[in-house]
Amino acid sequence: MNRTGVTTWAGAALAWCVVLLAAAPAGAAAAEKRPAKPAAQKIEKLACVLGTEDSHARIAVEVLNGRVNRFAYYSKWKPRTCSVEVSRGDAYSSWADHGSTTAVLLMEEMGLFWIDHGHGRYHFTFSDIDRMRYCGMGGKINGYLTIRRANPKCDLDGLMENGQVEE
């Protein structure tokens, strides 16, 4: 402003240039600090079955970036069926990863799954899974199931042995 309180064009232009110059680096820095796009997630879906129409076990597994994210186990001993579905972050389980092993603790002392993964396979250990909760009959489910990539047949041990129920 001059003595009369009127801003001169030269002074206004100078002030505007200072503002533009000061803002330019900040704008460039803000553009450089934009959040990076999240890394692409690799989702793989596996499934296998073993047995006959009246007596079989099957599992479907969703693998997210190399780790089991979700699985659903189903078995049938005609006329009985058993169904367990577990997902990371659900209200019914807690998951902990330890190297190539994942521990899945079912809430309310309903049992534990150990999942060992590597070399194109996922080996599930069923440990004291509450049969009443998931199958409607007494006892515990104990045994092993292995699913392999590109193999439609599961490997089982102890899960479907003549429909025996361990007490």
Side-chain angles (χ1 to χ4, degrees):
M1 282 199 261
N2 62 18
R3 290 185 178 162
T4 62
V6 177
T7 306
T8 64
W9 284 106
L14 179 62
W16 184 247
C17 288
V18 169
V19 168
L20 286 177
L21 288 174
E32 291 173 12
K33 293 183 181 180
R34 286 187 186 133
K37 290 182 181 178
Q41 296 186 347
K42 181 181 176 191
I43 297 174
E44 183 177 12
K45 295 184 180 185
L46 307 171
C48 68
V49 64
L50 186 66
T52 66
E53 178 67 27
D54 291 340
S55 177
H56 66 265
R58 63 180 62 219
I59 195 165
V61 179
E62 179 184 86
V63 178
L64 178 63
N65 295 330
R67 296 258 184 220
V68 173
N69 187 51
R70 176 181 178 168
F71 64 93
Y73 168 78
Y74 175 86
S75 65
K76 181 177 180 182
W77 298 331
K78 197 170 186 176
R80 302 253 189 214
T81 61
C82 190
S83 178
V84 180
E85 183 175 355
V86 187
S87 299
R88 283 186 194 260
D90 68 12
Y92 307 104
S93 64
S94 63
W95 296 56
D97 296 308
H98 306 282
S100 65
T101 302
T102 300
V104 182
L105 177 63
L106 300 175
M107 295 301 160
E108 300 174 0
E109 299 181 13
M110 296 293 170
L112 175 72
F113 290 96
W114 291 98
I115 307 167
D116 179 44
H117 51 87
H119 305 295
R121 61 124 180 99
Y122 295 86
H123 181 75
F124 288 76
T125 301
F126 291 61
S127 181
D128 293 329
I129 307 300
D130 184 50
R131 194 182 297 273
M132 183 58 74
R133 164 78 176 180
Y134 299 103
C135 312
M137 55 186 145
K140 303 288 184 186
I141 304 170
N142 289 293
Y144 308 94
L145 181 147
T146 303
I147 182 171
R148 290 180 168 68
R149 285 188 180 101
N151 188 347
K153 290 187 177 180
C154 305
D155 294 330
L156 299 176
D157 184 16
L159 293 178
M160 298 291 296
E161 293 182 6
N162 299 324
Q164 296 174 352
V165 177
E166 294 182 22
E167 292 294 336

